[in-house]
Amino acid sequence: MPRKIGLVQHEELRHLVEDVRQWQADELDWSDVSASILLHGPPGVGKTMITEAIAGSTGATFVSTSYAEAQKAGHLGDYLRTMSAHVNRAISSAPAVFFVDELDSYVSRQGSGKNFSTYMHSVVNGLLEQLTKLNDAPGVIVVAATNHLNVVDPALI
């Protein structure tokens, strides 16, 4: 289960980095690594920088995506294909840090309007499928960032 961190504690990040290093040295099973973090706070507080630092400190590949990046690929099928490609890159590059920025773009599927709700339902479900793949992949840390935690679909949290 992800930790919801408003102000990231240096000690928690140090612990995560040490766990990954122990896993790399075959001293710790991946199932014992707390490999997901949810960062939230106003723009400009360093959520992306923290995530890049985790990747750098663990020697992991940094794979970054966002709702907007996947959406610019085109229709829903293209969106889902783009998201899947990023996930597959992270899995094949393990150790990796998979960063989902703008998590607040994945608003609750309880939104208003039938078309909006149906589309977002598909998008959130697609992301949930990809997060499940990442969760099952040893060596992949998942970090998500949002400016507005209150609008994120609860299933993602």
Side-chain angles (χ1 to χ4, degrees):
M1 175 154 256
R3 289 182 226 157
K4 294 179 256 179
I5 302 173
L7 298 174
V8 177
Q9 300 296 316
H10 185 262
E11 191 60 35
E12 289 180 283
L13 295 176
R14 185 184 305 259
H15 180 70
L16 173 62
V17 169
E18 183 56 34
D19 280 355
V20 172
R21 288 180 180 158
Q22 287 181 352
W23 171 77
Q24 290 168 319
D26 289 326
E27 297 171 357
L28 185 66
D29 190 71
W30 187 254
S31 63
D32 294 325
V33 176
S34 180
S36 62
I37 299 173
L38 175 56
L39 304 173
H40 61 92
V45 297
K47 297 179 291 289
T48 302
M49 185 178 69
I50 288 168
T51 306
E52 290 171 336
I54 293 169
S57 295
T58 58
T61 301
F62 181 70
V63 178
S64 178
T65 192
S66 67
Y67 175 85
E69 180 182 348
Q71 182 59 48
K72 74 181 177 186
H75 62 75
L76 180 60
D78 294 331
Y79 171 90
L80 296 173
R81 199 169 12 266
T82 298
M83 184 62 71
S84 180
H86 285 293
V87 167
N88 290 335
R89 179 173 166 237
I91 291 170
S92 67
S93 300
V97 173
F98 183 82
F99 180 54
V100 181
D101 201 3
E102 305 169 358
L103 196 67
D104 45 321
S105 295
Y106 298 90
V107 296
S108 176
R109 291 169 286 177
Q110 307 305 313
S112 62
K114 181 171 174 33
N115 290 336
F116 170 81
S117 181
T118 300
Y119 180 80
M120 285 310 297
H121 198 98
S122 297
V123 167
V124 172
N125 284 345
L127 179 58
L128 287 168
E129 287 177 17
Q130 297 304 317
L131 291 174
T132 298
K133 281 175 62 175
L134 290 165
N135 185 62
D136 294 341
V140 180
I141 299 165
V142 177
V143 180
T146 179
N147 298 332
H148 307 285
L149 188 60
N150 59 319
V151 299
V152 177
D153 190 281
L156 295 172
I157 297 171

